[in-house]
């Protein structure tokens, strides 16, 4: 059976924690898109792990797969594997031979284009990891794949075609002087060696075959989405998006497991009880209108530790955006929800949600398709009575009924609006700080 974990909002909803929560019954955890732009946190006991590429199941010793839909920076991957080994874990990570490789020039070009776009406010506030430029080269049929690193002749041939174009782009179009990130000989040496290590450690696979065989043998596979639905390249707030599809459909194309297999499993939407956003673009329910709202945002940011996992940037904060969630529920076909960070909102006199939008005299229940129209939306707020601070670990141990009544009213409102049952409620960052209502692999 398969379970797909998808961010319902703007990333950082707590996906890593949910993968870890359900990870005991899982045999393999596979990523299907994105790269080291992701930052997934797993907290277990006094240990905190921040994972960018290694699937979060590694903390429980589960096999990890980076599917063909991912973009892989081998330098980050090996650094992460090495530092997890130093911490006593032994990550078993397999990488799809069809996955595309992030090269140093992709990172440089990511920065150059963000700079160029910033004058017209089109910059997405990327993580600077070269994600967009790598996916561009994939779609432009000039990318280099993991499988190419295993064959030095192919690697050299590919580099000889693409690098002069990248150099010309940086120098002639953007007027930026290039360095060794654009040097064929040094790239060849460095990436040939990455290929050797991948081969020596037996890390490369045909992801579809590898996962298909596991599923045929009745093993449990979890697909770990990165980023979130509203920063999906197709379904998100373009152009303030990432360059891949975090939405559930990509679990099939990004791993080579058929949609009929994934469709018979579960798709769990991960929801943060409010909004946080690293990066730019409009945000109708953002708490930034006046000093009172800004103070409230500061309070939530501090309490929730809302600073980017990858970049350390302070995250923007807003009330829950329910039209955004309705859109996510439709696009992903959620079968269950995990709603996190209920504890962060504790102690507020009242908690609001953007229930709908007002736009040009009309009331909208879901997100408009253009970012400009979304920016013009005024949220129609609905206010809920707040809940007090309690001992959340005790609540997690006792179960759902121990959650303060007003928080349950809030949770049930979200579940009703999305017509989707709640599987888990996050009441703190740790594995044990979760109220579990459903275990999908049972
Ligand atoms: P991801 O990218 O979706 O995996 O999420 P991140 O790891 O980037 O950000 C989520 C942050 O919130 C991490 O620091 C988690 O440890 C933490 N977290 C997850 N669930 C909860 C929760 O229910 N309550 C609190 N207070 N923190 C949580
Ligand atoms: P996880 O998996 C939150 C955002 C960036 C930027 C936009 C494009 O931890 O939820 P990119 O570097 O991908 O080209 O940047 O997407 N972004 C994320 N925001 N969480 C993430 O990952 C993100 N990955 C990318 O801030 O706005
Ligand atoms: Mg994150």
């Amino acid at each position: 059976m398969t379970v797909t974990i998808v961010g319902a909002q703007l990333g950082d909803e707590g996906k890593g924690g949910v993968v870890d929560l359900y990870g005991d019954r899982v045999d393999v955890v596979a990523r299907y898109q994105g790269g080291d732009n992701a930052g997934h946190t797993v907290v277990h006991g006094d240990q905190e792990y921040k994972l960018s590429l290694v699937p979060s199941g590694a903390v429980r010793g589960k096999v990890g797969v980076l599917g063909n839909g991912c973009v892989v920076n081998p330098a980050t991957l090996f650094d992460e594997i090495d530092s997890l080994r130093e911490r006593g874990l032994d990550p078993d990570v397999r990488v799809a031979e069809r996955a595309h490789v992030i090269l140093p020039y992709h990172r440089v070009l990511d920065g150059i284009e963000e700079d160029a776009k910033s004058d017209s406010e089109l910059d997405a506030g990327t993580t600077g990891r070269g994600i967009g430029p790598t996916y561009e080269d994939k779609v432009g049929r000039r990318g280099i794949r993991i499988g190419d690193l295993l064959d030095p002749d192919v690697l050299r041939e590919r580099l000889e075609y693409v690098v002069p174009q990248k150099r010309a782009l940086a120098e002639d179009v953007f007027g930026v002087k290039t360095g060794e990130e654009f040097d064929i000989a040094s790239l060849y040496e460095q990436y040939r060696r990455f290929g050797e290590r991948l081969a020596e450690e037996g890390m490369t696979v045909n992801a579809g075959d590898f996962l298909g065989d596991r599923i045929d043998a009745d093993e449990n596979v979890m697909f770990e989405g990165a980023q979130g639905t509203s920063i999906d390249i197709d379904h998100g707030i373009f152009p303030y998006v990432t360059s891949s599809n975090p939405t559930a459909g990509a679990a099939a194309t990004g791993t080579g497991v058929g949609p009929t297999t994934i469709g018979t499993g579960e798709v769990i939407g991960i929801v943060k009880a409010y909004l946080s956003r690293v990066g730019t673009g409009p945000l109708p329910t953002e708490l930034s209108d006046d000093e009172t709202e800004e103070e409230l945002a500061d309070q939530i940011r501090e309490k929730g530790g809302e600073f980017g996992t990858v970049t350390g940037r302070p995250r923007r904060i807003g009330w829950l955006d329910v039209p955004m969630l309705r859109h996510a529920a439709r696009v992903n076909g959620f079968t269950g929800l995990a709603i996190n960070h209920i504890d962060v909102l504790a102690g507020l006199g009242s908690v609001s949600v953007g229930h709908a939008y007002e736009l040009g005299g009309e009331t909208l229940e879901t997100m408009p398709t253009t970012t400009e129209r979304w920016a013009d939306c005024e949220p129609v707020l609905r206010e809920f009575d707040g809940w007090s601070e309690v001992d959340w670990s005790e609540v997690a141990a006792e179960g759902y009924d121990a959650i303060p009544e007003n928080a349950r009213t809030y949770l049930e409102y979200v579940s009703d609006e999305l017509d989707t049952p709640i599987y888990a409620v996050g009441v703190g960052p740790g594995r044990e700080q979760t109220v579990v209502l459903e275990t999908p692999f049972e």
Side-chain angles (χ1 to χ4, degrees), residues 52-76:
S52 276
L53 264 179
V54 173
S56 300
V59 175
R60 287 187 183 262
K62 307 298 173 168
V63 176
V65 173
L66 297 175
N68 53 278
C70 296
V71 286
V72 180
N73 184 331
T76 317

Side-chain angles (χ1 to χ4, degrees), residues 11-15 37-41 51 227 308-310 315:
D12 305 327
E13 300 93 344
K15 298 176 291 294
N37 48 348
H40 295 176
T41 316
L51 303 160
Q227 290 82 51
T309 311
V310 175
R315 295 177 185 149

Side-chain angles (χ1 to χ4, degrees), residues 7 11-18 38-43 48-51 56 224-227 270 272 274 303-310 315 339-344 425-430 433-434:
D12 305 327
E13 300 93 344
K15 298 176 291 294
V18 176
H40 295 176
T41 316
V42 173
V43 178
E48 184 184 64
Y49 299 91
K50 290 189 177 293
L51 303 160
S56 300
E224 175 176 0
Q227 290 82 51
I270 315 304
K272 185 175 271 189
Y274 50 90
K303 191 165 175 196
E306 297 294 355
F307 298 89
T309 311
V310 175
R315 295 177 185 149
I339 306 183
N340 288 322
H341 297 87
I342 281 294
D343 56 304
V344 175
V425 181
V427 296
Q433 289 165 310
T434 316

Side-chain angles (χ1 to χ4, degrees), residues 87-101:
R87 293 181 66 180
L89 296 181
D90 186 18
D92 178 355
V93 183
R94 313 300 173 94
V95 190
E97 284 163 13
R98 291 190 168 103
H100 279 251
V101 179

Side-chain angles (χ1 to χ4, degrees), residues 10-13 15 37-40 110 124-129 131-132 225-228 231 240-243 277-280 313:
L10 297 152
D12 305 327
E13 300 93 344
K15 298 176 291 294
N37 48 348
H40 295 176
D110 191 349
T126 72
T127 59
R129 297 299 191 264
I131 305 295
Q227 290 82 51
I231 54 173
Y240 306 104
V241 291
T242 192
S243 300
R277 169 71 159 130
V278 277
T280 51
R313 290 177 288 183

Side-chain angles (χ1 to χ4, degrees), residues 41-274:
T41 316
V42 173
V43 178
H44 175 50
D46 60 356
Q47 296 291 310
E48 184 184 64
Y49 299 91
K50 290 189 177 293
L51 303 160
S52 276
L53 264 179
V54 173
S56 300
V59 175
R60 287 187 183 262
K62 307 298 173 168
V63 176
V65 173
L66 297 175
N68 53 278
C70 296
V71 286
V72 180
N73 184 331
T76 317
L77 178 62
F78 289 132
D79 280 353
E80 199 163 276
I81 289 175
D82 291 345
S83 62
L84 289 172
R85 282 188 183 147
E86 276 164 29
R87 293 181 66 180
L89 296 181
D90 186 18
D92 178 355
V93 183
R94 313 300 173 94
V95 190
E97 284 163 13
R98 291 190 168 103
H100 279 251
V101 179
I102 301 182
L103 285 115
Y105 52 78
H106 290 125
R107 280 201 182 205
V108 176
L109 288 165
D110 191 349
I112 291 176
E113 193 162 4
E114 281 281 282
D115 258 2
K117 282 176 165 176
S118 64
D119 289 343
S120 36
E121 294 189 357
L122 284 170
D123 53 319
T126 72
T127 59
R129 297 299 191 264
I131 305 295
T134 307
Y135 278 114
E136 273 181 54
D137 281 354
K138 170 179 175 171
V139 177
R141 295 167 298 180
R142 68 181 92 82
I144 293 174
R145 305 201 296 178
I146 289 290
D148 302 334
L149 304 185
L150 307 179
D151 185 335
D153 292 338
V154 174
L155 173 62
R156 180 173 279 282
E157 209 181 318
R158 295 275 194 273
L159 287 169
E160 278 171 358
Y161 174 75
V162 76
V163 176
Q165 281 188 20
K166 298 290 143 182
R167 206 184 299 127
L169 178 64
E171 294 188 350
D172 304 341
V173 177
F174 291 107
V176 175
K177 205 173 145 19
T178 59
E180 69 166 10
E181 293 94 344
F182 294 77
D183 180 76
I184 294 175
S186 103
L187 292 169
Y188 172 75
E189 264 318 303
Q190 204 185 343
Y191 280 73
R192 187 180 60 77
R193 268 184 271 123
F194 285 142
E196 281 173 7
R197 181 165 169 189
L198 287 167
E200 273 161 24
E201 299 198 18
M203 289 172 69
T204 67
V205 291
N206 174 331
D209 281 352
F210 183 83
L211 293 166
D213 288 349
R214 297 293 192 118
I215 293 167
D216 287 346
D218 272 340
E219 292 194 8
N220 288 330
V221 173
M222 184 166 257
F223 296 104
E224 175 176 0
Q227 290 82 51
T229 303
S230 280
I231 54 173
D232 181 288
I233 186 79
D234 285 280
H235 303 288
I237 45 177
F238 191 89
Y240 306 104
V241 291
T242 192
S243 300
S244 68
N245 292 116
T247 42
T253 48
T255 61
V257 175
T260 44
T261 301
I262 292 169
T264 56
E266 302 252 14
V267 178
I268 304 181
I270 315 304
V271 177
K272 185 175 271 189
Y274 50 90

